[in-house]
Amino acid sequence: MTPNNERFWGIDDSETLQNAINEAAKGSRKLTIPRYNARRGEMQWRITKALMLPDDFTLILDNCYMVMETGVYDHMFTNSRSYDDTSRNLDGEQKNITILGKGNVTLDGGEHNHLLEKPSGKYGFPRVWKNTMFFWLNVRNLRVENLHITNQRWWAITHIFCRDVTIRNIHFSAIPHVPNMDGIDLRIGCNNFTIENITGRTGDDVIAMTAVNGNEYHFWKVEGKDTDIHDVKIRTVLGDPFIHLVIRFLNHDGNQIYNVDLDTVFDASDFTTKKRPHATVDLGCVLYSKVRKSELGETRDLQIRNVTSRGETAIRL
């Protein structure tokens, strides 16, 4: 099935693609987005509203270029019940969502919309979470592979209370012109992840595992799920985090991080034009707690091997 069928065409590309996704969900549960956009007559898809992906669905991006429209505040992709308050429990968990890139796929944050952490939720702005390109909440069996992500507006790929996730072959190319242009973020309640072959430049941490309650905790809490980050395998990360961290471990507020196996991390920073990154791998921090700081034993059973650093520190504790 293709969104270039005229019966799916809407007022913009997002409506067109969502119409095609909704129709595919009734049958094959698979949709391919090609490079050519027949409705626009152009080799691009401009996203004005997040594409909502249902359970048991595969989205194939075939050599396509997708860019966030100027002036909008939204994700590019999210699971269909991510903003449904009634799904904040075990029964509301979504499952089996796949996004596969085929060939040369570029996902572009486009021109920044001025939504940052300081004005988040103020002055008419929505919450800064709207600027994460991929937003996954309460999903099991999630797969994202073979993508080039450029100039994300905030965090690129965000997971909250997700499990059994595979992220593979992701390349970042960010120009760090705004704060917190992370690559891949695991927040509270994430477990059983495999992350492999991550390359390129972000504007902040390349991969951040942050089990902290944060300012948005009450929005995203899923009843019945544990809040720890655990059973994560990371293999082959070659990244430039600008001046930040390639891999971050951080937990507070009674949340734990354990059973993480990290192998082969290379800091590829070009520090000739800026400060050196703080560290290649960073464990712990005295900041960001809301209830209490982490205690001895709440960060444990971490295996870290084959770290090559060009920063100030290879492994910082």
Side-chain angles (χ1 to χ4, degrees):
M1 182 176 291
T2 173
N4 281 331
N5 189 319
E6 290 187 22
R7 68 191 178 100
F8 298 135
W9 292 4
I11 60 171
D12 57 24
D13 290 347
S14 285
E15 185 173 296
T16 296
L17 293 172
Q18 192 65 58
N19 288 341
I21 289 169
N22 295 344
E23 184 63 25
K26 299 175 184 177
S28 67
R29 308 198 73 81
K30 179 184 291 186
L31 177 70
T32 297
I33 301 178
R35 184 169 183 82
Y36 180 64
N37 180 345
R39 191 189 72 86
R40 299 179 65 90
E42 298 175 354
M43 298 292 187
Q44 63 174 288
W45 300 85
R46 302 194 68 86
I47 305 304
T48 58
K49 187 176 181 181
L51 302 181
M52 313 285 283
L53 302 183
D55 290 7
D56 306 306
F57 195 88
T58 297
L59 185 67
I60 298 173
L61 308 180
D62 186 359
N63 287 284
C64 61
Y65 173 71
M66 304 177 71
V67 58
M68 294 301 299
E69 186 61 89
T70 302
V72 304
Y73 307 100
D74 212 340
H75 319 296
M76 186 174 283
F77 301 100
T78 188
N79 52 299
S80 57
R81 300 186 67 190
S82 59
Y83 284 87
D84 182 352
D85 292 339
T86 65
S87 69
R88 303 291 193 270
N89 52 58
L90 293 176
D91 291 337
E93 183 181 61
Q94 291 192 245
K95 60 182 176 61
N96 304 332
I97 298 175
T98 297
I99 297 179
L100 292 181
K102 179 182 177 182
N104 183 20
V105 176
T106 298
L107 307 180
D108 190 344
E111 184 177 338
H112 203 274
N113 56 15
H114 308 294
L115 173 57
L116 305 170
E117 290 188 7
K118 287 187 177 179
S120 175
K122 305 174 184 175
Y123 319 115
F125 283 110
R127 297 280 181 174
V128 73
W129 287 90
K130 279 291 187 178
N131 261 356
T132 185
M133 185 177 285
F134 294 76
F135 182 70
W136 307 117
L137 174 66
N138 200 16
V139 180
R140 171 171 56 89
N141 290 340
L142 173 65
R143 181 181 171 199
V144 178
E145 295 189 15
N146 305 327
L147 304 174
H148 176 194
I149 296 174
T150 182
N151 290 328
Q152 60 268 28
R153 294 178 174 182
W154 193 53
W155 301 351
I157 309 177
T158 302
H159 309 82
I160 307 173
F161 290 105
C162 293
R163 59 180 173 139
D164 302 328
V165 176
T166 299
I167 306 171
R168 185 179 288 126
N169 301 332
I170 306 296
H171 181 76
F172 295 101
S173 57
I175 300 173
H177 60 293
V178 294
N180 290 307
M181 298 172 74
D182 287 17
I184 300 168
D185 283 79
L186 281 60
R187 300 289 282 182
I188 54 173
C190 287
N191 61 77
N192 290 282
F193 273 62
T194 297
I195 303 173
E196 298 177 328
N197 300 331
I198 309 301
T199 59
R201 188 184 201 188
T202 56
D204 207 301
D205 305 337
V206 178
I207 300 174
M209 291 167 278
T210 51
V212 296
N213 288 4
N215 294 328
E216 312 288 342
Y217 177 77
H218 61 286
F219 289 111
W220 313 124
K221 179 71 170 69
V222 176
E223 296 298 331
K225 283 196 168 185
D226 77 78
T227 60
D228 303 333
I229 294 174
H230 59 89
D231 296 288
V232 177
K233 182 171 72 174
I234 300 173
R235 294 287 185 273
T236 314
V237 180
L238 192 154
D240 177 358
F242 191 49
I243 60 172
H244 301 280
L245 310 163
V246 181
I247 308 289
R248 176 192 283 273
F249 294 82
L250 170 63
N251 59 294
H252 286 307
D253 306 322
N255 308 310
Q256 303 183 55
I257 296 180
Y258 59 91
N259 291 351
V260 179
D261 187 355
L262 172 61
D263 192 346
T264 310
V265 180
F266 188 92
D267 177 357
S269 299
D270 175 14
F271 55 81
T272 60
T273 58
K274 58 180 175 60
K275 296 194 302 180
R276 292 189 176 198
H278 300 315
T280 304
V281 178
D282 188 83
L283 295 99
C285 181
V286 298
L287 304 176
Y288 306 112
S289 64
K290 290 293 181 181
V291 180
R292 63 167 175 82
K293 292 181 172 58
S294 61
E295 297 179 355
L296 186 64
E298 292 180 338
T299 309
R300 65 184 187 277
D301 298 321
L302 313 179
Q303 297 187 67
I304 300 171
R305 300 183 299 279
N306 299 320
V307 176
T308 303
S309 177
R310 304 185 80 187
E312 298 173 2
T313 309
I315 300 175
R316 183 174 68 179
L317 294 85

